[in-house]
Amino acid sequence: MKKANAMTSLPSLTALRCFDASARHASFTKAAAEVHLTQGAVSHQILALEAQLGVPLFLRQRGGLQLTVAGRAYWSEVSPALRQLERATQNIVQHQGGGGELKLSVASSFGTFWLMPRLSGFVAAHPDITLSLSTHVGPVDYSRFAGDAAIEFCEGAVPGLHAQRVLALQAKPFAAPALLKSLGIACRARGLGRAELLRLLCQAPLVRQASVPHGWAAWLQAAGLRDAMPPGQLNAGPQYDLLSMALNGAIAGLGVALLPDYAAAGALQARQLLAVSSCSWTAEKAYFLRYPEWKGQLATVRRFGEWLRAVP
């Protein structure tokens, strides 16, 4: 087995393209047609790559090629890198470094309730940029991240990652009118009085969110109600991973949920929810646009960041 060497030279791009095509087609012959080489040349490139890496990448079988365990692990990292190189090349040729595709990963509920309703402004202002969106739950692993940037609910910048603050998370409690009615509490458009609010929070489940596990304790402290709550009530309700789940749970009458106004606005207008208090709590974390520092040189990332700064 070869020892790791920090100075080991990278394989040639031709060898990596042959490896990627062979892995996808499970055939040297089909890979050769894709990369415009002979079958013998592709086989030679793979043999040289295996010799350089010191491990076999394929099992040669009568029915075709099969990746080894090491080969599959290597391909899982090489293939996204090659796709990114292809995309970068297409962008520079087509847009001369000014536009192209921007691959953005967004916290799921933030993307649905806050970003998507505003994106038409970005599209209109930057028609030469194609914005491709994916979603994530929890922290983004930038060591394996195939996109350009992400909007995360986090603490901000860390070494190697640039962070631009997008929006604070401010939340207040909402409940369904049906839940209030079931508890004999009058539904008021301007919220509940202190005594009614406290009775609601003591009797109804408190919907918790995994991203802000201490949200209820912090809100109750801000509202001056923390000491009035019975022991155990804070952990008596269900916990959901996504803000959208908490929203829909509240609409369904499963409990009282802490929600930002931008997420609850539609349900509030449709009278599916009532803001039971006007007191808001601001989380310590916030939504940030984050990306590896070198990505800040990309025109697509820079222009998207500038647009976000101007969004009301």
Side-chain angles (χ1 to χ4, degrees):
M1 181 183 296
K2 287 188 175 182
K3 292 183 179 180
N5 185 343
M7 299 303 293
T8 298
S9 60
L10 291 172
S12 71
L13 185 58
T14 298
L16 293 177
R17 291 184 64 234
C18 288
F19 168 60
D20 175 59
S22 299
R24 284 187 284 104
H25 295 295
S27 165
F28 288 153
T29 301
K30 292 180 180 179
E34 178 179 317
V35 300
H36 305 294
L37 293 173
T38 65
Q39 187 271 343
V42 170
S43 179
H44 176 76
Q45 289 287 339
I46 298 301
L47 287 171
L49 180 60
E50 290 176 321
Q52 180 178 358
L53 298 176
V55 293
L57 299 173
F58 291 101
L59 297 175
R60 280 77 168 171
Q61 300 175 333
R62 180 170 296 182
L65 299 173
Q66 181 179 338
L67 284 164
T68 63
V69 173
R72 184 164 296 281
Y74 190 50
W75 185 47
S76 70
E77 298 192 71
V78 166
S79 182
L82 288 174
R83 302 291 84 77
Q84 187 165 351
L85 284 172
E86 291 171 355
R87 184 169 65 93
T89 303
Q90 291 171 355
N91 284 344
I92 196 71
V93 170
Q94 294 177 8
H95 303 280
Q96 300 297 297
E101 183 183 17
L102 172 61
K103 298 181 73 173
L104 181 70
S105 180
V106 188
S108 177
S109 299
F110 179 85
T112 299
F113 295 113
W114 190 89
L115 183 62
M116 290 302 295
R118 293 165 171 78
L119 269 186
S120 60
F122 177 78
V123 173
H126 304 279
D128 58 330
I129 296 179
T130 300
L131 182 59
S132 297
L133 292 176
S134 62
T135 60
H136 66 264
V137 177
V140 173
D141 181 0
Y142 286 89
S143 67
R144 296 181 175 274
F145 184 51
D148 298 310
I151 296 180
E152 296 184 80
F153 182 63
C154 61
E155 296 176 347
V158 296
L161 291 179
H162 174 82
Q164 173 185 325
R165 188 182 180 92
V166 178
L167 187 71
L169 175 62
Q170 293 182 317
K172 59 189 177 186
F174 291 83
L179 175 62
L180 297 173
K181 184 177 180 180
S182 71
L183 297 173
I185 298 174
C187 178
R188 299 176 183 175
R190 294 185 178 181
L192 304 178
R194 179 184 173 86
E196 292 176 318
L197 177 60
L198 187 58
R199 184 156 69 91
L200 170 66
L201 299 179
C202 288
Q203 294 182 6
L206 304 184
V207 176
R208 295 170 293 142
Q209 295 176 48
S211 58
V212 283
H214 306 297
W216 270 114
W219 181 86
L220 288 165
Q221 189 69 37
L225 298 173
R226 181 68 179 87
D227 295 336
M229 294 294 291
Q233 177 65 4
L234 291 183
N235 298 318
Q239 177 170 295
Y240 302 132
D241 281 343
L242 301 179
L243 175 64
S244 58
M245 293 179 177
L247 169 67
N248 288 317
I251 292 172
L254 300 181
V256 185
L258 285 176
L259 302 169
D261 286 337
Y262 66 79
L268 195 65
Q269 185 175 5
R271 297 290 296 168
Q272 294 174 305
L273 288 179
L274 171 72
V276 296
S277 173
S278 60
C279 178
S280 291
W281 159 74
T282 301
E284 293 182 359
K285 295 181 180 180
Y287 290 101
F288 286 87
L289 175 68
R290 294 210 301 184
Y291 46 83
E293 290 178 346
W294 71 268
K295 292 272 190 178
Q297 302 174 25
L298 299 178
T300 51
V301 172
R302 186 182 67 252
R303 288 163 63 185
F304 183 72
E306 292 170 350
W307 173 77
L308 277 177
R309 289 189 187 94
V311 173

